[in-house]
Amino acid sequence: MILRLYTVFLSLVFVLYSYGQNEAYQKMSFEKDGQRMPYRLLLPKNYDNTETYPLILVLHGSGERGSDNELQLTHGASLFLEDATREKYPAVVVFPQCAENSSWAAIKVTGELGNRAFTFYKRGQPTKDMLLLEGLLKHLKTTYAIDKDRMYVGGLSMGGMGTFELVRRNPKMFAAGFPICGGANTAIANRIRRTRWWVFHGKADDVVPSKYSTKIVDALRAAGADVQYSLYPDVKHDSWNNAFAEPELLPWLFSISK
Protein backbone atom coordinates (compact mmCIF):
# COMPACT_ATOMS: atom_id res chain seq x y z
CA MET A 1 0.00 0.00 0.00
CA ILE A 2 2.80 2.41 0.95
CA LEU A 3 4.72 1.51 -2.20
CA ARG A 4 1.64 2.15 -4.35
CA LEU A 5 1.02 5.53 -2.69
CA TYR A 6 4.67 6.44 -3.24
CA THR A 7 4.39 5.50 -6.93
CA VAL A 8 1.25 7.64 -7.29
CA PHE A 9 3.05 10.50 -5.55
CA LEU A 10 6.02 10.27 -7.92
CA SER A 11 3.69 10.20 -10.92
CA LEU A 12 1.89 13.29 -9.65
CA VAL A 13 5.20 15.08 -9.11
CA PHE A 14 6.26 14.23 -12.66
CA VAL A 15 2.98 15.50 -14.11
CA LEU A 16 3.19 18.74 -12.14
CA TYR A 17 6.84 19.19 -13.14
CA SER A 18 6.01 18.64 -16.81
CA TYR A 19 3.10 21.06 -16.54
CA GLY A 20 5.32 23.67 -14.92
CA GLN A 21 7.93 23.20 -17.60
CA ASN A 22 5.34 23.62 -20.36
CA GLU A 23 4.10 26.80 -18.72
CA ALA A 24 7.44 28.37 -19.72
CA TYR A 25 5.80 28.47 -23.13
CA GLN A 26 3.59 31.56 -23.06
CA LYS A 27 -0.02 31.05 -24.14
CA MET A 28 -0.70 33.32 -27.09
CA SER A 29 -3.35 33.73 -29.78
CA PHE A 30 -3.18 35.08 -33.31
CA GLU A 31 -6.34 36.43 -34.98
CA LYS A 32 -6.98 37.33 -38.60
CA ASP A 33 -10.25 37.96 -40.45
CA GLY A 34 -12.28 36.63 -37.54
CA GLN A 35 -10.26 33.41 -37.34
CA ARG A 36 -8.05 32.44 -34.41
CA MET A 37 -4.94 30.29 -34.05
CA PRO A 38 -3.67 29.48 -30.54
CA TYR A 39 0.08 29.10 -30.15
CA ARG A 40 2.72 28.70 -27.48
CA LEU A 41 5.79 30.93 -27.44
CA LEU A 42 9.14 30.28 -25.77
CA LEU A 43 11.49 33.26 -25.75
CA PRO A 44 15.21 32.97 -25.02
CA LYS A 45 16.33 33.48 -21.46
CA ASN A 46 17.21 37.14 -20.98
CA TYR A 47 15.52 38.00 -24.28
CA ASP A 48 16.95 41.24 -25.67
CA ASN A 49 15.13 42.91 -28.56
CA THR A 50 18.31 44.69 -29.61
CA GLU A 51 19.71 41.31 -30.66
CA THR A 52 18.30 38.81 -33.17
CA TYR A 53 17.47 35.15 -32.61
CA PRO A 54 16.69 32.12 -34.78
CA LEU A 55 13.04 31.11 -35.07
CA ILE A 56 12.02 27.47 -34.66
CA LEU A 57 8.47 26.65 -35.77
CA VAL A 58 7.17 23.18 -34.84
CA LEU A 59 3.99 21.79 -36.43
CA HIS A 60 2.15 19.04 -34.55
CA GLY A 61 0.32 16.01 -35.91
CA SER A 62 -3.40 15.35 -36.34
CA GLY A 63 -3.76 13.91 -32.83
CA GLU A 64 -2.84 17.24 -31.26
CA ARG A 65 -5.39 19.38 -33.12
CA GLY A 66 -7.87 21.45 -31.15
CA SER A 67 -8.22 24.78 -29.39
CA ASP A 68 -6.93 24.06 -25.86
CA ASN A 69 -3.46 25.54 -26.59
CA GLU A 70 -1.98 22.56 -24.76
CA LEU A 71 -1.90 19.43 -26.89
CA GLN A 72 0.56 20.79 -29.46
CA LEU A 73 3.30 20.65 -26.81
CA THR A 74 2.98 16.86 -26.49
CA HIS A 75 5.94 16.03 -28.74
CA GLY A 76 9.19 17.96 -28.95
CA ALA A 77 8.48 20.86 -26.61
CA SER A 78 10.65 19.50 -23.78
CA LEU A 79 13.73 19.42 -26.02
CA PHE A 80 13.79 23.19 -26.35
CA LEU A 81 13.14 23.68 -22.61
CA GLU A 82 16.31 21.95 -21.46
CA ASP A 83 18.59 24.39 -19.66
CA ALA A 84 21.61 23.31 -21.70
CA THR A 85 19.69 23.85 -24.93
CA ARG A 86 18.44 27.30 -23.94
CA GLU A 87 21.92 28.36 -22.89
CA LYS A 88 23.69 27.06 -25.98
CA TYR A 89 20.98 27.71 -28.58
CA PRO A 90 18.89 30.77 -27.64
CA ALA A 91 15.94 30.95 -30.01
CA VAL A 92 12.32 31.99 -30.39
CA VAL A 93 10.39 28.69 -30.36
CA VAL A 94 6.76 28.56 -31.51
CA PHE A 95 4.24 25.70 -31.36
CA PRO A 96 1.01 26.72 -33.13
CA GLN A 97 -2.16 24.62 -32.86
CA CYS A 98 -4.25 23.60 -35.86
CA ALA A 99 -8.04 23.49 -35.49
CA GLU A 100 -9.67 20.11 -34.98
CA ASN A 101 -11.48 20.13 -38.33
CA SER A 102 -8.56 21.48 -40.36
CA SER A 103 -5.05 20.53 -41.47
CA TRP A 104 -1.73 22.18 -42.26
CA ALA A 105 -1.98 21.06 -45.89
CA ALA A 106 -4.70 19.86 -48.26
CA ILE A 107 -4.03 16.12 -48.63
CA LYS A 108 -6.27 13.29 -49.84
CA VAL A 109 -6.15 10.11 -47.75
CA THR A 110 -7.74 6.83 -48.88
CA GLY A 111 -7.74 3.25 -47.57
CA GLU A 112 -7.70 1.74 -44.13
CA LEU A 113 -5.03 1.97 -41.43
CA GLY A 114 -2.15 -0.26 -42.47
CA ASN A 115 -2.98 0.19 -46.15
CA ARG A 116 -3.41 3.92 -46.60
CA ALA A 117 -2.61 5.98 -49.66
CA PHE A 118 -1.80 9.70 -49.57
CA THR A 119 -2.20 12.12 -52.46
CA PHE A 120 -0.06 15.25 -52.16
CA TYR A 121 -0.84 18.13 -54.49
CA LYS A 122 1.70 20.13 -56.45
CA ARG A 123 -0.27 23.36 -56.11
CA GLY A 124 -2.99 22.60 -53.59
CA GLN A 125 -5.22 25.34 -52.27
CA PRO A 126 -4.14 26.48 -48.80
CA THR A 127 -6.21 25.34 -45.85
CA LYS A 128 -7.68 27.86 -43.43
CA ASP A 129 -5.00 27.02 -40.91
CA MET A 130 -2.17 27.33 -43.43
CA LEU A 131 -3.31 30.89 -44.16
CA LEU A 132 -3.49 31.60 -40.42
CA LEU A 133 -0.03 30.10 -40.00
CA GLU A 134 1.41 32.39 -42.67
CA GLY A 135 -0.25 35.34 -40.98
CA LEU A 136 1.23 34.27 -37.67
CA LEU A 137 4.70 34.14 -39.22
CA LYS A 138 4.36 37.71 -40.49
CA HIS A 139 3.26 38.77 -37.02
CA LEU A 140 6.19 37.02 -35.35
CA LYS A 141 8.72 38.58 -37.72
CA THR A 142 7.46 42.09 -37.03
CA THR A 143 6.95 41.63 -33.28
CA TYR A 144 10.06 39.77 -32.14
CA ALA A 145 13.78 40.11 -32.83
CA ILE A 146 14.03 37.26 -35.32
CA ASP A 147 17.02 36.60 -37.56
CA LYS A 148 15.42 36.33 -41.01
CA ASP A 149 18.37 34.23 -42.23
CA ARG A 150 17.92 31.63 -39.50
CA MET A 151 14.29 30.56 -39.62
CA TYR A 152 13.65 26.81 -39.23
CA VAL A 153 10.51 24.70 -39.51
CA GLY A 154 9.77 21.09 -38.66
CA GLY A 155 6.87 18.90 -37.72
CA LEU A 156 5.56 15.40 -37.31
CA SER A 157 3.08 13.38 -39.37
CA MET A 158 0.48 15.94 -40.50
CA GLY A 159 3.01 18.53 -39.36
CA GLY A 160 5.74 16.91 -41.45
CA MET A 161 3.49 17.25 -44.48
CA GLY A 162 2.73 20.82 -43.42
CA THR A 163 6.47 21.53 -43.23
CA PHE A 164 6.93 20.68 -46.90
CA GLU A 165 3.80 22.65 -47.81
CA LEU A 166 4.83 25.76 -45.88
CA VAL A 167 8.25 25.78 -47.54
CA ARG A 168 6.65 25.19 -50.96
CA ARG A 169 4.51 28.26 -50.44
CA ASN A 170 7.43 30.28 -49.02
CA PRO A 171 10.55 28.86 -50.70
CA LYS A 172 12.85 31.73 -49.68
CA MET A 173 11.81 31.97 -46.04
CA PHE A 174 13.35 28.98 -44.26
CA ALA A 175 17.01 28.06 -43.97
CA ALA A 176 16.27 24.47 -42.86
CA GLY A 177 13.42 22.01 -42.43
CA PHE A 178 13.08 18.80 -40.40
CA PRO A 179 9.91 16.91 -41.41
CA ILE A 180 9.17 13.72 -39.48
CA CYS A 181 7.03 10.84 -40.87
CA GLY A 182 5.48 13.10 -43.50
CA GLY A 183 5.61 13.36 -47.27
CA ALA A 184 5.08 15.65 -50.24
CA ASN A 185 4.47 15.74 -53.97
CA THR A 186 7.81 15.01 -55.65
CA ALA A 187 7.07 17.66 -58.29
CA ILE A 188 7.80 20.41 -55.73
CA ALA A 189 11.40 19.28 -55.15
CA ASN A 190 13.00 21.87 -57.40
CA ARG A 191 11.00 24.66 -55.76
CA ILE A 192 12.09 23.74 -52.22
CA ARG A 193 15.68 22.65 -52.99
CA ARG A 194 17.31 25.81 -51.57
CA THR A 195 16.21 24.88 -48.07
CA ARG A 196 18.44 22.37 -46.28
CA TRP A 197 16.61 19.24 -45.13
CA TRP A 198 16.87 16.49 -42.56
CA VAL A 199 14.01 14.06 -43.13
CA PHE A 200 13.00 11.36 -40.60
CA HIS A 201 10.74 8.32 -40.88
CA GLY A 202 10.20 4.89 -39.33
CA LYS A 203 10.54 2.10 -41.89
CA ALA A 204 7.77 0.09 -40.18
CA ASP A 205 5.34 3.05 -40.12
CA ASP A 206 1.84 1.69 -40.81
CA VAL A 207 0.08 5.06 -40.51
CA VAL A 208 2.08 7.11 -43.01
CA PRO A 209 4.19 4.68 -45.07
CA SER A 210 7.87 5.60 -45.24
CA LYS A 211 7.82 5.49 -49.04
CA TYR A 212 6.39 9.02 -49.02
CA SER A 213 9.48 10.40 -47.30
CA THR A 214 11.77 8.25 -49.45
CA LYS A 215 10.22 9.57 -52.65
CA ILE A 216 10.55 13.24 -51.75
CA VAL A 217 14.11 12.68 -50.47
CA ASP A 218 15.06 11.04 -53.78
CA ALA A 219 13.45 13.92 -55.70
CA LEU A 220 15.26 16.51 -53.57
CA ARG A 221 18.60 14.80 -54.14
CA ALA A 222 17.94 14.69 -57.87
CA ALA A 223 17.20 18.43 -57.74
CA GLY A 224 20.55 19.10 -56.06
CA ALA A 225 19.22 19.82 -52.57
CA ASP A 226 21.28 19.36 -49.42
CA VAL A 227 19.28 16.62 -47.69
CA GLN A 228 19.90 14.04 -44.96
CA TYR A 229 17.57 11.09 -44.43
CA SER A 230 17.19 9.04 -41.26
CA LEU A 231 15.07 5.94 -41.92
CA TYR A 232 14.79 3.98 -38.68
CA PRO A 233 14.42 0.17 -38.99
CA ASP A 234 11.58 -1.42 -36.99
CA VAL A 235 10.23 2.01 -35.93
CA LYS A 236 6.54 2.68 -36.52
CA HIS A 237 4.64 5.97 -36.46
CA ASP A 238 6.45 7.37 -33.47
CA SER A 239 9.71 8.21 -35.22
CA TRP A 240 9.52 11.69 -33.67
CA ASN A 241 10.93 10.08 -30.51
CA ASN A 242 14.02 9.06 -32.48
CA ALA A 243 14.23 12.37 -34.32
CA PHE A 244 14.04 14.58 -31.23
CA ALA A 245 16.61 12.33 -29.52
CA GLU A 246 19.16 12.75 -32.34
CA PRO A 247 22.21 14.34 -30.67
CA GLU A 248 23.16 16.15 -33.89
CA LEU A 249 19.73 17.61 -34.64
CA LEU A 250 20.18 20.92 -32.83
CA PRO A 251 23.87 21.41 -33.75
CA TRP A 252 22.92 20.76 -37.39
CA LEU A 253 19.90 23.07 -37.25
CA PHE A 254 21.61 26.01 -35.59
CA SER A 255 24.64 25.80 -37.88
CA ILE A 256 22.50 26.70 -40.89
CA SER A 257 21.96 30.19 -42.22
CA LYS A 258 20.69 31.36 -45.60
Side-chain angles (χ1 to χ4, degrees):
M1 179 67 178
I2 293 174
L3 179 60
R4 190 163 69 177
L5 286 173
Y6 181 68
T7 302
V8 170
F9 172 76
L10 287 180
S11 299
L12 180 61
V13 168
F14 176 77
V15 168
L16 290 173
Y17 174 78
S18 299
Y19 177 79
Q21 288 288 292
N22 282 347
E23 286 306 295
Y25 285 90
Q26 301 175 50
K27 286 190 173 183
M28 311 289 281
S29 179
F30 173 74
E31 296 187 15
K32 180 182 178 183
D33 300 330
Q35 303 287 337
R36 173 182 172 272
M37 173 168 282
Y39 67 98
R40 300 293 283 268
L41 172 74
L42 180 69
L43 292 176
K45 290 182 177 180
N46 304 313
Y47 173 77
D48 181 352
N49 61 13
T50 65
E51 299 182 16
T52 58
Y53 303 90
L55 171 72
I56 301 176
L57 180 70
V58 184
L59 305 180
H60 63 76
S62 60
E64 294 76 55
R65 291 179 293 184
S67 59
D68 65 353
N69 213 357
E70 295 279 355
L71 281 174
Q72 75 266 37
L73 296 179
T74 303
H75 304 296
S78 60
L79 172 63
F80 304 104
L81 275 176
E82 294 175 6
D83 287 337
T85 299
R86 299 188 74 187
E87 291 294 336
K88 190 172 184 179
Y89 304 113
V92 176
V93 184
V94 177
F95 279 73
Q97 187 174 34
C98 181
E100 190 169 356
N101 61 348
S102 187
S103 178
W104 299 122
I107 296 161
K108 182 180 179 182
V109 185
T110 56
E112 300 297 326
L113 190 64
N115 188 31
R116 300 168 88 187
F118 291 76
T119 300
F120 303 100
Y121 300 105
K122 181 180 178 181
R123 295 189 183 89
Q125 290 297 308
T127 63
K128 169 182 68 70
D129 280 68
M130 174 55 70
L131 293 175
L132 278 170
L133 182 61
E134 291 178 325
L136 171 60
L137 280 166
K138 290 179 182 177
H139 167 73
L140 293 170
K141 288 191 292 183
T142 57
T143 305
Y144 300 99
I146 291 170
D147 184 345
K148 307 303 191 299
D149 290 329
R150 301 182 69 199
M151 295 178 60
Y152 314 125
V153 58
L156 53 106
S157 194
M158 180 186 80
M161 301 169 192
T163 296
F164 285 116
E165 175 68 0
L166 183 61
V167 176
R168 179 192 75 80
R169 291 177 53 81
N170 303 272
K172 297 180 181 180
M173 183 177 293
F174 296 97
F178 53 102
I180 305 166
C181 55
N185 190 307
T186 57
I188 73 171
N190 192 61
R191 181 172 173 82
I192 65 174
R193 64 185 173 84
R194 292 177 183 83
T195 298
R196 290 180 62 181
W197 296 94
W198 191 347
V199 180
F200 304 88
H201 218 119
K203 195 170 184 179
D205 194 326
D206 57 356
V207 177
V208 180
S210 62
K211 65 181 179 180
Y212 294 111
S213 281
T214 301
K215 287 179 179 180
I216 188 62
V217 165
D218 289 344
L220 283 166
R221 286 174 173 163
D226 184 332
V227 55
Q228 299 183 60
Y229 187 27
S230 293
L231 183 61
Y232 302 108
D234 304 320
V235 173
K236 293 190 175 183
H237 193 60
D238 57 352
S239 53
W240 49 80
N241 292 325
N242 302 72
F244 287 125
E246 284 282 355
E248 291 304 310
L249 176 59
L250 294 184
W252 170 82
L253 196 63
F254 283 93
S255 71
I256 299 170
S257 180
K258 288 195 295 183

